[in-house]
Amino acid sequence: QVQLVESGGGSVQAGGSLRLSCVASNDYSHQIGCMAWWRQAPGKEREGVAAVDRTGAREYADSVEDRFTVSRDNAKNTLDLQINSLKPEDSGTYYCAAKSWACNGWSDSSYIRFWGQGTQVTVSS
């Protein structure tokens, strides 16, 4: 079982930046092909934000602006999400997610094999 642990959430004012991080447990990290960030805003469904495969190829949800940058370090089993110019609508719980093999279907929750516990992001206006 892969464990994903997020960090870096917090409360910030609009216009600020946050860098979210996720670390995957080493023992089973070989099971992970694609790592992704999802988020769930209050009262809304969880949605995929961005994903990156082992080659570093990145994908972003259509709703995500250029303010989001996803990156991955395979050697350290880490996944980061840099969010700049934060807006109140970016608030929510951000989850690290992983699936086997490639990132095909990464934004479909039925393909996600592992989930982190989430880290809270609150952006005040």
Side-chain angles (χ1 to χ4, degrees):
Q1 182 75 10
V2 173
Q3 289 188 329
L4 304 173
V5 180
E6 304 96 334
S7 63
S11 297
V12 297
Q13 290 197 334
S17 297
L18 277 177
R19 189 174 186 86
L20 308 182
S21 296
C22 169
V23 58
S25 56
N26 287 332
D27 292 348
Y28 301 97
S29 60
H30 62 277
Q31 298 183 32
I32 298 174
C34 178
M35 297 186 76
W37 284 101
W38 284 62
R39 67 181 175 186
Q40 186 167 21
K44 296 187 177 181
E45 292 188 356
R46 197 176 296 190
E47 62 174 353
V49 174
V52 55
D53 67 14
R54 283 191 170 274
T55 71
R58 306 172 188 181
E59 296 186 37
Y60 295 92
D62 291 341
S63 60
V64 171
E65 301 173 23
D66 292 342
R67 302 181 292 111
F68 290 71
T69 303
V70 65
S71 58
R72 176 175 178 174
D73 186 326
N74 292 327
K76 297 180 180 179
N77 295 323
T78 59
L79 176 74
D80 290 341
L81 183 69
Q82 177 72 35
I83 313 174
N84 298 324
S85 302
L86 279 155
K87 302 178 179 180
E89 51 263 43
D90 294 325
S91 297
T93 302
Y94 284 71
Y95 297 91
C96 181
K99 63 183 294 289
S100 303
W101 306 112
C103 282
N104 307 66
W106 69 272
S107 59
D108 182 340
S109 61
S110 64
Y111 288 97
I112 299 298
R113 187 174 177 186
F114 305 108
W115 293 98
Q117 293 299 308
T119 185
Q120 182 68 35
V121 172
T122 303
V123 184
S124 58
S125 58

